[in-house]
Amino acid sequence: MGFARTCAVALVGVEGVVVEVQADLEPGVAAFTLVGLPDKSLTESKDRVRAAVVNSGSAWPQKKLTVGLSPASVPKGGSGFDLAVACAVLGAAERIDPRVLSDIVMIGELGLDGRVRPVRGVLPAVLAAADAGYEQVVVPECAAAEASLVPGISVRGVRSLRQLIAVLTDEPVPEEDPDEQGRPDPLMAGLRMPGTGAATGMHAAQHDHGHDLADVVGQHSARTAVEVAAAGGHHLFLEGPPGAGKTMLAERLPAVLPRLTKGESLEVTAVHSVAGLLPPGKPLVDIAPYCAPHHSATMQALVGGGQGIARPGAVSLAHRGVLFLDETPEFSSRALDALRQPLEAGHVVIARSAGVVRFPARFLMVLAANPCPCGRFSQRDDLCECPPSMIRRYQARLSGPLLDRVDLRVEVDRVTRTELTERGTRGESTETVADRVRAARERASVRLAGTPWRTNSEVPGRELRSRWYASLGAMDEAERSLERGALTARGLDRVLRVAWTVADLVGHDRPGATDVALALQLRTGVPRGVPMAIGALS
């Protein structure tokens, strides 16, 4: 009887579980049995592994073969177990020393010709292996850079099963035939899933001059709101007619955000790796992601879900970045109301029959909407032809509980001819605003040092009222708004959070009456007699 074992990783959401892959050979009729709660794609690995082993120059054992995946209670799926199954079988057949395999974690799909293809979720899989105490991991060669992001673990990248067998048996490592010059590498196609191109609205923000905040004409109030949102991580609602610049402001917001820290980069990269969104040649996402799903997106597309084990949705793909919902009233009410829990908790918990998964979802949400179906409704003119009942129904699609979680609400005015044609009056550039945002984030990080929170928007209300309160009398007007019913208790806490962000931007040690007045104006839209420019408050 021959027996060997090695290890692989099963992904549940963005978390990994180390799985022991055991192979047992017994005398009897040649057969291949795979047990351990595999799904359809994993069951098909029997044929892929057999062909890969034979085409790699090794003999397939003609005995009764049983491969077990332990723990058997954890659902397992995908093709990432192929490499571990092949090596366990070769270890049981004594082609490889079984003692060499027991402490190695193997991740990769096998082609019929024996080449090792990349799979989704390499980074979270290697993180799980490191947390379990393993020190060696074998991954596809084109995913080695992604796996090397995990410190304290030795990564071996292989291009074929033939190469791995040579490495494990101390034989000369064969050279693989290079691809034809100018042709794309077929192995790299596995790093991206179908349907993850630019048309999905999912990409990383680029800190370049192609999309500069100075390109936005006018909109001084909205520009201030964008700066405050970036500095404190506050959610933003832009309402105005078509063509006023709502989408331009949202697209330029990610470039204003600070670059991700090392820990944040690993979190974002892990989610994008599971979703198959990591671009080839760039294993680490170090800038804020930007996700803009179409208004026809379902609830599962927004918060995550799908058949079997749930997949990350738009809120998780926008983790540590910006989620932009253009034409927000056109989204289904069910999908929008599903955003309430991630907005408060910073994560999504999805329960399915196959298991419960938890995805990170701490994002900055930007909502954009027209004032009415035709988009021309305004208090200053009568261009709108929509009946009042239609306007009410249109605006009621955004529920009160959802809007109550939005800190900043700004009306984007129609751009005038003078603003559009006047030269030499460009606003501040993205670089200038980003510098102020970075300085404000640094002030907040010093104040929040030693706490689990990083931005003002994350601080609970009870902590604000007991530890980081405003100057004496600064909150009087906000408290009167609470008594009149213009603010909820949650809204009062959010006004104080925004006031702290304004104070950080202008360099105040504590929010004063002017900072609170600007925060109230940004939340309610009611003028408070304060300038809508951060520079004027300094």
Side-chain angles (χ1 to χ4, degrees):
M1 182 184 73
F3 178 83
R5 62 184 179 185
T6 187
C7 293
V9 178
L11 290 178
V12 182
V14 292
E15 300 176 354
V17 178
V18 176
V19 174
E20 188 175 79
V21 180
Q22 305 169 347
D24 176 71
L25 282 175
E26 297 179 357
V29 178
F32 189 169
T33 305
L34 183 64
V35 296
L37 212 58
D39 71 350
K40 180 65 175 177
S41 60
L42 182 51
T43 303
E44 292 175 349
S45 68
K46 296 188 293 185
D47 298 319
R48 290 194 302 270
V49 169
R50 181 187 292 108
V53 168
V54 172
N55 289 327
S56 297
S58 298
W60 183 260
Q62 298 300 315
K63 295 182 180 180
K64 181 181 179 181
L65 170 63
T66 303
V67 174
L69 309 176
S70 179
S73 59
V74 177
K76 305 167 190 70
S79 56
F81 293 84
D82 289 3
L83 197 59
V85 170
C87 289
V89 171
L90 292 175
E94 298 182 353
R95 175 67 176 86
I96 302 174
D97 188 350
R99 294 172 296 180
V100 176
L101 300 173
S102 58
D103 295 327
I104 302 177
V105 175
M106 301 185 182
I107 305 163
E109 174 188 333
L110 285 175
L112 300 184
D113 57 355
R115 288 185 299 175
V116 182
R117 302 182 61 88
V119 294
R120 294 181 299 167
V122 169
L123 177 60
V126 177
L127 284 170
D131 291 340
Y134 290 87
E135 299 178 352
Q136 299 181 69
V137 63
V138 176
V139 298
E141 183 182 61
C142 49
E146 179 184 347
S148 299
L149 297 174
V150 181
I153 193 165
S154 174
V155 177
R156 163 73 71 171
V158 294
R159 195 170 182 86
S160 67
L161 178 61
R162 187 184 300 107
Q163 287 185 340
L164 180 57
I165 294 173
V167 170
L168 297 176
T169 56
D170 292 330
E171 298 175 358
V173 179
E175 291 291 336
E176 295 294 335
D177 295 333
D179 295 314
E180 294 182 24
Q181 192 69 23
R183 292 177 59 87
D185 187 347
L187 293 183
M188 300 301 285
L191 287 178
R192 292 183 68 85
M193 293 296 293
T196 58
T200 61
M202 182 63 231
H203 63 271
Q206 297 298 321
H207 293 249
D208 59 14
H209 300 287
H211 289 77
D212 200 290
L213 200 58
D215 298 333
V216 180
V217 177
Q219 311 302 354
H220 303 294
S221 299
R223 289 171 59 94
T224 299
V226 166
E227 183 175 347
V228 173
H234 306 287
H235 305 304
L236 175 62
F237 177 37
L238 301 173
E239 184 179 25
K246 301 186 295 294
T247 303
M248 290 182 66
L249 288 165
E251 289 176 343
R252 284 151 179 77
L253 176 56
V256 179
L257 294 172
R259 297 186 81 89
L260 303 179
T261 64
K262 183 62 179 294
E264 292 171 343
S265 296
L266 290 177
E267 291 176 9
V268 174
T269 304
V271 176
H272 288 209
S273 178
V274 169
L277 276 168
L278 282 182
K282 185 173 175 55
L284 183 66
V285 179
D286 58 353
I287 49 183
Y290 174 82
C291 189
H294 191 259
H295 61 257
S296 62
T298 63
M299 185 179 71
Q300 290 77 13
L302 281 181
V303 300
Q307 302 261 347
I309 297 296
R311 298 296 183 191
V315 297
S316 298
L317 298 176
H319 180 59
R320 301 296 179 187
V322 176
L323 175 67
F324 177 47
L325 303 182
D326 198 7
E327 305 294 345
T328 310
E330 301 298 336
F331 283 81
S332 70
S333 299
R334 186 165 172 258
L336 290 177
D337 288 337
L339 297 176
R340 297 185 198 175
Q341 187 245 351
L343 286 175
E344 288 290 332
H347 61 265
V348 178
V349 178
I350 302 173
R352 293 289 186 271
S353 59
V356 179
V357 297
R358 183 180 186 273
F359 294 116
R362 190 165 296 282
F363 55 91
L364 196 162
M365 182 178 67
V366 180
L367 306 179
N370 297 326
C372 67
C374 75
R376 294 180 292 180
F377 176 75
S378 174
Q379 301 291 342
R380 293 181 291 275
D381 52 48
D382 56 354
L383 298 175
C384 177
E385 298 178 355
C386 302
S389 58
M390 182 182 294
I391 297 176
R392 285 195 300 269
R393 284 197 303 269
Y394 184 80
Q395 295 178 348
R397 294 178 184 176
L398 299 180
S399 66
L402 176 64
L403 290 180
D404 197 39
R405 290 166 167 81
V406 178
D407 299 342
L408 312 173
R409 307 174 192 174
V410 179
E411 184 175 348
V412 181
D413 297 325
R414 186 179 292 108
V415 179
T416 65
R417 176 183 177 182
T418 302
E419 291 174 330
L420 197 60
T421 58
E422 192 174 5
R423 298 184 179 180
T425 58
R426 289 176 49 137
E428 292 179 312
S429 66
T430 295
E431 185 178 359
T432 301
V433 177
D435 289 341
R436 280 204 302 267
V437 169
R438 192 179 306 111
R441 287 279 185 117
E442 291 173 356
R443 293 189 185 98
S445 65
V446 171
R447 182 173 64 254
L448 299 175
T451 70
W453 313 298
R454 304 179 185 180
T455 59
N456 293 323
S457 63
E458 301 175 18
V459 182
R462 65 180 184 277
E463 297 291 340
L464 283 172
R465 294 189 295 271
S466 61
R467 297 174 59 182
W468 296 294
Y469 42 84
S471 300
L472 185 63
M475 293 292 292
D476 289 349
E477 183 63 28
E479 291 168 357
R480 283 193 290 269
S481 298
L482 175 66
E483 293 175 353
R484 294 193 302 267
L487 281 179
T488 64
R490 180 192 286 123
L492 184 66
D493 289 340
R494 291 183 178 275
V495 167
L496 184 52
R497 291 190 185 109
V498 176
W500 266 110
T501 300
V502 174
D504 289 335
L505 283 168
V506 299
H508 294 168
D509 294 333
R510 193 174 295 277
T514 305
D515 302 325
V516 176
L518 179 56
L520 268 173
Q521 184 168 328
L522 287 171
R523 180 169 180 84
T524 63
V526 178
R528 304 282 174 173
V530 294
M532 287 293 289
I534 296 300
L537 299 177
S538 303

